[in-house]
Amino acid sequence: MSRFEALLDAFFYRPDEDVGGLLDFAAGSDDLSPPLLEEEPVEYLAFRLETECYAVPILAVREICKVPLLTEIPRAEPHLLGVMNLRGELLPVYDVKLRLRLAEAPPVVAGPDAGLPPRAARILVLKTDDGPAGVWVDSVAGVVRLKPSMVELSPAGLRGDRDCVAGLGRKGSQLYILLDPEQALAP
């Protein structure tokens, strides 16, 4: 018998072998822990603000629309860009870049001095406790599915203006900053 045949003989099952333990294992035993449950992924809508990628739960998004003409609100909070008319419904439109400290001043996007919005800019209409509200984003990246094991809760030291960050998600090499829509739009 060659060395190769000897290896094959040792590898394959022979009828005279004792396989009692193997049969117990195949049938299952009480000593084994139950199989882990498959993690159900959560869907998020990913979008860009400046150079960072953010995401909100897809269930919080009512719709995505192109940037319409915004009406300026005099003496409004700095992060309130204006209001928009969406099929007869007036919705406030917010800039979360100020809250996230990505910008020092809101852009002029409403009123007589407003220029045209960038082509990729969109308004995310989010469902909130106070009713629907729009959020200006630089572009929409798409839907991303993250398993709970891919998400870290917001770091404990993150307070103040960035308390709207609910956590961090990673899929491959892409990092997603997960926002709490209610906190992001809070005054």
Side-chain angles (χ1 to χ4, degrees), residues 100-117:
L100 296 168
R101 290 185 264 155
L102 297 174
E104 293 187 21
V108 178
V109 294
D113 299 332
L116 291 174

Side-chain angles (χ1 to χ4, degrees), residues 3 12 22 27 29 92 123-124 151 167-168 183:
R3 183 171 178 206
F12 287 110
L22 182 61
S29 70
I123 301 292
L124 302 184
V151 175
L168 302 172
Q183 289 294 323

Side-chain angles (χ1 to χ4, degrees), residues 31-118:
D31 296 338
L32 297 175
S33 61
L36 295 176
L37 295 175
E38 182 69 26
E39 285 186 299
E40 189 68 31
V42 177
E43 291 185 330
Y44 294 88
L45 180 68
F47 55 91
R48 294 212 171 271
L49 294 174
E50 298 297 330
T51 60
E52 297 177 351
C53 198
Y54 290 83
V56 292
I58 197 88
L59 295 176
V61 179
R62 188 175 98 176
E63 63 185 284
I64 303 166
C65 59
K66 289 186 176 183
V67 179
L69 281 173
L70 297 179
T71 303
E72 166 179 48
I73 304 294
R75 296 182 295 281
E77 303 163 0
H79 71 286
L80 178 62
L81 296 174
V83 294
M84 66 184 236
N85 183 348
L86 184 63
R87 296 181 298 281
E89 183 179 20
L90 284 180
L91 302 176
V93 177
Y94 295 95
D95 181 12
V96 295
K97 289 181 190 177
L98 294 174
R99 180 147 189 141
L100 296 168
R101 290 185 264 155
L102 297 174
E104 293 187 21
V108 178
V109 294
D113 299 332
L116 291 174

